[in-house]
């Protein structure tokens, strides 16, 4: 079945990708050491304009370590974050339960917070975190001017400024700035390899040398020194080679699709800032979700997962993401799919 984002990967397809990779014959890694680890860390550090980078098997672990080290450096356990951020909404309160930190939550669920919100904080804080984009709010990005203002606030108050850049690769098109210039606003940056780059998994945390050195012991304490991580390393490097320069095309395609869908009665679409966006459809939740499987079979394509409710009972929302597999699906097919979805 054709898919709008990435095709479904099987064991065989992963093995085939690695078998044909130019990195296959490099010496294997062991416990976070090795040629591929160094190559990936150095490459990402250069892309982001940071002194040093550190490989992690999991993004959650990378961010927990970043928050912990920043809190130790600043002798404070309070961290400023968005209530709809991945750290708060999708990680089972790990930053509090495991790291003993306390969240100062800012902003409305549907919008990123801004410098005015941050400057209103009266409590002492060790870290200010910004997720680019705020996925749970519909892949929304903080404006450049607000990022700069928040950097100035953090510097003035000696607060560590951290970016959850799980989808940073997909965000640079919006800012029309190099990755390094975006990352320069922040003291530390986490990036992922299994989303836009299509890797099996893995992440990197980048920052100045002193900060990253302090993170190494915490990576070990969090079980991050895997015996070997070669599938993640090879597919991450492959993704940087083959996908990174194409992501801006997916953003432009997302904008094209959104523009056409917005012309359909009963449908409202937010203008995409990345390759992901939300579609709002008038209808009953259960009935809309029941139509997805038959439409997928009719068109032999998968565009979305499940509709979720909004505050308005007669309007439901669904997330769409555009990726490399989207070349096999025409915009007209997507329009026809949604017209049938809302026609009954």
């Amino acid at each position: 079945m054709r898919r709008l984002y990435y095709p479904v990967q099987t064991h065989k397809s992963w093995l085939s990708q690695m078998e044909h990779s130019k990195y296959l014959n490099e010496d294997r890694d062991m416990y976070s050491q090795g040629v591929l680890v160094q190559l990936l860390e150095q490459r990402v550090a250069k892309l982001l304009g940071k002194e040093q980078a550190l490989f992690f098997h999991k993004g959650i672990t990378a961010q927990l370590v970043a928050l912990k080290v920043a809190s130790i450096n600043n002798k404070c356990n309070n961290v400023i974050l968005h209530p709809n951020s991945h750290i708060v909404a999708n990680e089972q309160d790990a930053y509090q339960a495991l790291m003993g930190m306390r969240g100062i939550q800012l902003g409305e669920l549907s919008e990123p917070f801004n410098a005015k919100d941050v400057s209103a904080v009266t409590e002492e804080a060790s870290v200010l975190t910004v997720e680019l984009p705020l996925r749970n709010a519909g892949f929304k990005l903080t404006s450049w001017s607000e990022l700069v203002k928040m950097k100035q606030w953090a510097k003035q108050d000696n607060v560590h400024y951290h970016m959850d850049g799980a989808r940073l690769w997909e965000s640079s098109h919006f800012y029309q700035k190099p990755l390094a210039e975006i990352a320069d606003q922040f003291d530390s940056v986490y990036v992922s390899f299994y989303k836009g780059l299509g890797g099996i998994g893995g992440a990197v945390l980048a920052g100045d040398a002193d900060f990253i050195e302090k993170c190494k012991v915490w990576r070990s304490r969090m079980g991050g020194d895997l015996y070997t991580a070669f599938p993640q390393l090879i597919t991450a490097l492959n993704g940087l080679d083959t996908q990174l320069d194409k992501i801006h095309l997916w953003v432009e395609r997302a904008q094209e699709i959104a523009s056409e869908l917005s012309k359909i009665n009963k449908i409202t679409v937010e203008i995409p800032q990345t390759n992901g966006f939300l579609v709002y459809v008038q209808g009953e939740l259960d009935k809309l979700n029941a139509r997805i499987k038959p439409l997928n079979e009719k068109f032999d394509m998968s565009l979305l997962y499940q509709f979720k409710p909004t505050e308005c009972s007669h309007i439901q929302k669904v997330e769409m993401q555009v990726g490399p597999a989207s070349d096999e699906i025409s915009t007209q097919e997507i329009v026809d799919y949604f017209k049938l979805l809302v026609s009954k």
Side-chain angles (χ1 to χ4, degrees):
M1 182 173 288
R2 296 172 299 159
R3 294 180 182 270
L4 191 62
Y5 190 37
Y6 266 92
V8 174
Q9 294 282 16
T10 64
H11 294 160
K12 286 184 178 180
S13 64
W14 284 125
L15 290 171
S16 177
Q17 181 188 148
M18 288 187 284
E19 182 181 6
H20 294 92
S21 172
K22 67 181 183 181
Y23 306 104
L24 180 65
N25 294 321
E26 296 288 354
D27 291 340
R28 69 182 180 124
D29 64 291
M30 290 183 65
Y31 300 113
S32 301
Q33 300 293 323
V35 174
L36 292 182
V37 176
Q38 292 177 1
L39 181 60
L40 185 59
E41 289 175 344
Q42 291 170 0
R43 186 165 177 182
V44 174
K46 185 176 180 180
L47 276 172
L48 301 181
K50 296 299 185 185
E51 290 180 356
Q52 202 166 311
L54 192 63
F55 174 75
F56 284 81
H57 72 295
K58 187 75 175 168
I60 293 175
T61 308
Q63 299 213 96
L64 289 177
V65 168
L67 298 184
K68 184 63 177 179
V69 171
S71 71
I72 293 172
N73 284 347
N74 289 336
K75 298 180 175 62
C76 174
N77 287 329
N78 292 341
V79 53
I80 300 171
L81 28 66
H82 196 282
N84 217 0
S85 65
H86 193 279
I87 294 174
V88 174
N90 303 97
E91 298 179 11
Q92 307 296 321
D93 290 327
Y95 76 102
Q96 298 183 101
L98 295 180
M99 294 306 192
M101 304 191 75
R102 174 179 170 272
I104 301 173
Q105 297 185 21
L106 295 181
E108 301 296 328
L109 290 178
S110 60
E111 295 289 338
F113 57 64
N114 56 36
K116 184 178 180 180
D117 298 323
V118 172
S119 62
V121 173
T122 58
E123 299 176 76
E124 183 182 3
S126 61
V127 191
L128 168 62
T129 67
V130 174
E131 183 178 337
L132 298 181
L134 189 59
R135 189 261 181 92
N136 290 329
F139 303 90
K140 291 182 180 178
L141 286 159
T142 305
S143 72
W144 183 255
S145 61
E146 292 299 322
L147 290 180
V148 172
K149 289 176 185 177
M150 286 190 282
K151 176 183 179 179
Q152 294 168 346
W153 177 89
K155 186 175 182 180
Q156 175 182 322
D157 284 34
N158 195 34
V159 173
H160 185 94
Y161 195 20
H162 173 72
M163 182 209 299
D164 176 344
R167 291 174 174 80
L168 173 61
W169 315 121
E170 297 91 326
S171 302
S172 61
H173 182 274
F174 172 80
Y175 293 114
Q176 291 294 297
K177 296 179 184 297
L179 290 164
E181 188 173 347
I182 301 170
D184 185 55
Q185 299 301 311
F186 297 85
D187 298 309
S188 60
V189 179
Y190 141 66
V191 292
S192 173
F193 298 122
Y194 79 87
K195 299 177 180 69
L197 296 181
I200 286 179
V204 150
L205 180 65
D208 65 46
D210 179 69
F211 180 80
I212 295 300
E213 285 297 323
K214 290 177 179 178
C215 289
K216 288 182 179 180
V217 65
W218 282 98
R219 177 180 65 180
S220 182
R221 288 168 176 166
M222 294 291 291
D225 289 329
L226 302 185
Y227 176 60
T228 183
F230 74 88
Q232 293 183 333
L233 298 167
I234 289 175
T235 56
L237 288 163
N238 285 346
L240 289 171
D241 288 345
T242 63
Q243 304 300 332
L244 183 59
D245 290 341
K246 299 177 183 177
I247 292 177
H248 73 281
L249 298 175
W250 309 341
V251 179
E252 292 168 1
R253 180 76 194 285
Q255 293 168 344
E256 173 193 310
I257 293 169
S259 176
E260 292 303 310
L261 291 181
S262 67
K263 300 173 184 178
I264 302 174
N265 189 34
K266 299 182 181 180
I267 291 179
T268 303
V269 187
E270 296 175 340
I271 299 174
Q273 296 177 330
T274 71
N275 64 319
F277 58 99
L278 290 178
V279 180
Y280 296 87
V281 178
Q282 294 180 32
E284 297 179 31
L285 182 66
D286 291 343
K287 290 182 179 180
L288 287 172
N289 281 329
R291 293 172 191 161
I292 292 175
K293 185 177 179 180
L295 284 172
N296 287 355
E297 293 173 351
K298 176 181 176 64
F299 285 89
D300 184 34
M301 65 184 187
S302 176
L303 304 179
L304 41 87
Y305 292 106
Q306 294 286 299
F307 280 90
K308 295 181 180 180
T310 68
E311 293 179 355
C312 299
S313 60
H314 67 289
I315 297 177
Q316 321 305 331
K317 64 182 179 181
V318 71
E319 184 181 283
M320 294 182 67
Q321 293 189 67
V322 177
S326 62
D327 289 344
E328 299 180 4
I329 300 175
S330 72
T331 301
Q332 187 59 52
E333 286 180 292
I334 297 171
V335 169
D336 293 341
Y337 181 107
F338 273 89
K339 282 183 176 179
L340 284 177
L341 181 72
V342 300
S343 64
K344 296 180 181 180

